[in-house]
Amino acid sequence: MSTALTDRYYAALNSRDWAAYDELFSADAALEGPGGASGNGADAMRAFDRGFVAAASDFRLTALTVYAAGDRIAYELHATGTHDGPLATPQGDIAASGNPVSVKGVGVFEIRDGRIAAQRVYFDRLALVEQMTGALAPAV
């Protein structure tokens, strides 16, 4: 399985080419993300990604490792940015702090008929909030 399609997606996100999402994702592409984030289609993917860009105008994803087998592709990712805008959460916005953010995560994709049919995103939400707010959770 070639990673060209998903590589194009990450390039589109990093360059803020929101129009490319319509070509990359199937109409019913399923999104699953941390905190119950979900939706279908290119609009859901755009909204999810725009939320991070609104919180960090210099938000960038870098692929560290890529695994492909059959119709599935998994990326180990490094997300970076500066928390210069509000991050919208179901519990309310986290106001901009100006803090740098650096979090690793995983993106898992299913490919069908030459388009991304599903995307599942996993990352440490607590680490992200700690870095944004400067608050540290107690060690467990």
Side-chain angles (χ1 to χ4, degrees):
M1 163 75 43
S2 168
T3 63
L5 181 65
T6 47
D7 290 344
R8 280 182 42 219
Y9 159 63
Y10 286 128
L13 189 162
N14 285 335
S15 67
R16 315 304 188 243
D17 182 3
W18 307 119
Y21 283 46
D22 293 319
E23 296 175 14
L24 297 168
F25 292 94
S26 65
D28 62 346
L31 170 66
E32 180 184 325
S38 65
N40 293 92
D43 287 340
M45 305 300 171
R46 255 190 298 271
F48 182 75
D49 291 345
R50 280 183 166 163
F52 292 105
V53 171
S57 60
D58 59 349
F59 177 81
R60 181 163 187 81
L61 282 176
T62 303
L64 303 175
T65 310
V66 183
Y67 302 94
D71 63 351
R72 307 217 176 192
I73 302 170
Y75 287 77
E76 178 185 17
L77 300 163
H78 183 215
T80 58
T82 306
H83 185 212
D84 58 5
L87 176 67
T89 76
Q91 294 76 30
D93 289 357
I94 299 173
S97 64
N99 292 341
V101 176
S102 174
V103 177
K104 290 185 180 176
V106 175
V108 179
F109 298 89
E110 294 178 28
I111 309 301
R112 184 178 61 239
D113 299 327
R115 294 202 176 188
I116 300 169
Q119 176 181 203
R120 291 183 295 284
V121 178
Y122 307 94
F123 63 87
D124 185 341
R125 293 185 329 150
L126 180 58
L128 177 66
V129 171
E130 286 177 338
Q131 291 177 40
M132 286 181 163
T133 65
L136 295 176
V140 189

